[in-house]
Amino acid sequence: MGEDLEKLKQRLPLLDYLRQQNWVARTTGHGSEFVGLCPLHSETRPSFYVNARKNLFYCHGCGQGGDLLRFVQLSRHLSFRQSLAYLEQQSVPLTDPADVLERTATFYQQQLDGYPEALHYLKQRGLHDHTSIKEMQIGYAPGGSLRRHLTAQGYSCDLLQRLGLLNSQGHDAFYRRVVFPCCQGGRVINLYGRSIAAAFAHRFLPGSKGGLYGWEQVQQCPEVILVEGLFDYAVLRQAGFRHLTCSLGTHLNTYQFQQLCDRPRTVYLTFDVDANGSGQQASQQLAHCLRARGISTRRVLLPDGHDPNSFFVQGGDARQFQSLLEAAQP
Ligand SMILES: [Zn+2]
């Protein structure tokens, strides 16, 4: 029975079950933690927390906590055995793409520590802090194991191909890639895969990249640092900078642009200073458009040939980057 229970919990994650029961939650900004009103007692301020990775809940209001089975026991007033029988009859809705992407992201996160080459790659790119890696939910796609993992949970190859997780031959699309989930409204809407080998360096899944990366954490900030790449974002975050967001490329989509303009703020544009000048050209154009909307801009000038990632990889530190921010000109 122990094994059945584990399989069941894998097939029906706590968060998915709660959402099926119309539980409304937001992310807390700490890894895969969600918070919302407690379904087990009456309250007006959210104190019910779910850790989606650990598959556990805890309510600071009524003090109840545990796993999916415990939740069913409490919410439906059933015994352990009755709850198990009840859950076995529950079918998982298999069509929400965000669910599949979330499971994929979780699976990749679980792989990361088992592949020294992936950790070595992250280190090479300046990312060594375990907490930052966990907080950003960075994972690793070794290739060749995702298909089995997801089809075992009932997802069809057809759906996985439509989402771009499998290629047209039915093989894992991400192969030897470090993977960053891109979230919006607390849900994974895309995955960015960065090859740890040289070929075909970047890749998103088909579909929208969504808004600015990490936007929900900085939306209220009067000053934000905008970078173009996720590794830039990651090293700055690791160095202690928190007012950060990332446009996932130099060209912002309409939604990302509107996000930056939704209230008065100062944007520190920190694009690459590359040899062909494309990063700085994009930065100038963006500054121009933002100023036309009443947003203050500062252009952070990194040393020639650098992006924030290479700046830190080659020995730059938080204090030096802070000086660059202070020296940034409108
Ligand atoms: Zn409660």
Side-chain angles (χ1 to χ4, degrees):
M1 183 149 99
E3 199 194 44
D4 286 353
L5 180 56
E6 282 317 304
K7 271 196 194 139
L8 181 77
K9 286 201 272 189
Q10 220 179 43
R11 183 168 64 82
L12 185 52
L14 176 62
L15 188 64
D16 291 10
Y17 177 79
L18 290 166
R19 284 193 166 124
Q20 276 180 52
Q21 309 293 318
N22 301 315
W23 184 60
V24 179
R26 61 173 176 80
T27 49
T28 62
H30 294 111
S32 46
E33 193 179 56
F34 293 79
V35 63
L37 291 173
C38 179
L40 302 172
H41 85 280
S42 168
E43 63 177 4
T44 51
R45 296 178 63 182
S47 49
F48 187 87
Y49 287 79
V50 171
N51 185 319
R53 197 168 24 227
K54 292 184 183 154
N55 241 338
L56 294 172
F57 72 95
Y58 184 75
C59 174
H60 292 278
C62 60
Q64 299 285 4
D67 62 2
L68 171 66
L69 215 80
R70 181 80 190 131
F71 183 81
V72 170
Q73 281 176 268
L74 292 166
S75 59
R76 309 194 84 86
H77 309 288
L78 298 173
S79 73
F80 181 86
R81 278 180 178 283
Q82 286 169 329
S83 301
L84 198 57
Y86 163 81
L87 283 173
E88 269 160 0
Q89 285 162 10
Q90 292 288 303
S91 58
V92 197
L94 298 178
T95 44
D96 183 353
D99 283 346
V100 190
L101 295 184
E102 260 158 43
R103 284 178 195 217
T104 303
T106 305
F107 176 70
Y108 286 154
Q109 284 166 61
Q110 288 162 349
Q111 307 305 306
L112 183 66
D113 286 337
Y115 291 86
E117 64 267 39
L119 294 169
H120 177 73
Y121 177 79
L122 289 177
K123 207 173 231 172
Q124 263 186 338
R125 300 298 307 266
L127 258 181
H128 46 77
D129 177 48
H130 215 64
T131 313
S132 301
I133 293 170
K134 285 270 178 288
E135 279 173 358
M136 291 184 67
Q137 303 180 38
I138 298 171
Y140 181 60
S145 50
L146 181 73
R147 176 191 158 126
R148 194 173 50 230
H149 176 73
L150 290 177
T151 50
Q153 291 178 47
Y155 295 104
S156 69
C157 287
D158 182 53
L159 172 72
L160 303 180
Q161 267 173 341
R162 273 203 317 263
L163 293 175
L165 292 169
L166 300 184
N167 62 23
S168 53
Q169 285 90 47
H171 301 307
D172 288 12
F174 279 175
Y175 187 83
R176 299 192 69 207
R177 279 169 194 273
V178 163
V179 177
F180 294 70
C182 302
C183 300
Q184 204 168 292
R187 310 224 68 193
V188 179
I189 60 158
N190 207 320
L191 299 174
Y192 170 81
R194 172 84 204 195
S195 176
I196 68 167
F200 311 114
H202 304 276
R203 253 211 79 169
F204 282 95
L205 295 177
S208 169
K209 285 188 267 185
L212 293 164
Y213 180 90
W215 184 246
E216 282 147 33
Q217 285 102 47
V218 296
Q219 195 176 4
Q220 318 279 345
C221 299
E223 297 188 335
V224 296
I225 303 169
L226 176 70
V227 296
E228 62 176 88
L230 282 170
F231 278 100
D232 301 326
Y233 181 99
V235 290
L236 278 170
R237 192 189 152 102
Q238 181 181 257
F241 293 91
R242 279 296 184 266
H243 299 180
L244 279 181
T245 189
C246 172
S247 50
L248 310 165
T250 50
H251 293 281
L252 277 69
N253 61 37
T254 314
Y255 181 50
Q256 292 176 326
F257 182 73
Q258 281 167 356
Q259 287 178 312
L260 284 179
C261 298
D262 74 352
R263 70 191 67 194
R265 61 165 58 86
T266 304
V267 179
Y268 286 81
L269 299 163
T270 318
F271 285 0
D272 302 5
V273 181
D274 35 26
N276 64 15
S278 62
Q280 287 310 299
Q281 212 180 334
S283 169
Q284 264 168 20
Q285 275 170 11
L286 178 59
H288 179 76
C289 297
L290 286 170
R291 280 199 301 272
R293 294 283 299 270
I295 301 296
S296 322
T297 59
R298 303 271 186 282
R299 284 176 51 221
V300 181
L301 281 180
L302 293 156
D304 262 355
H306 275 292
D307 55 36
N309 185 251
S310 63
F311 178 77
F312 279 92
V313 168
Q314 293 181 20
D317 60 24
R319 195 182 47 79
Q320 290 167 338
F321 189 79
Q322 185 61 41
S323 311
L324 292 177
L325 285 179
E326 281 158 17
Q329 299 291 317

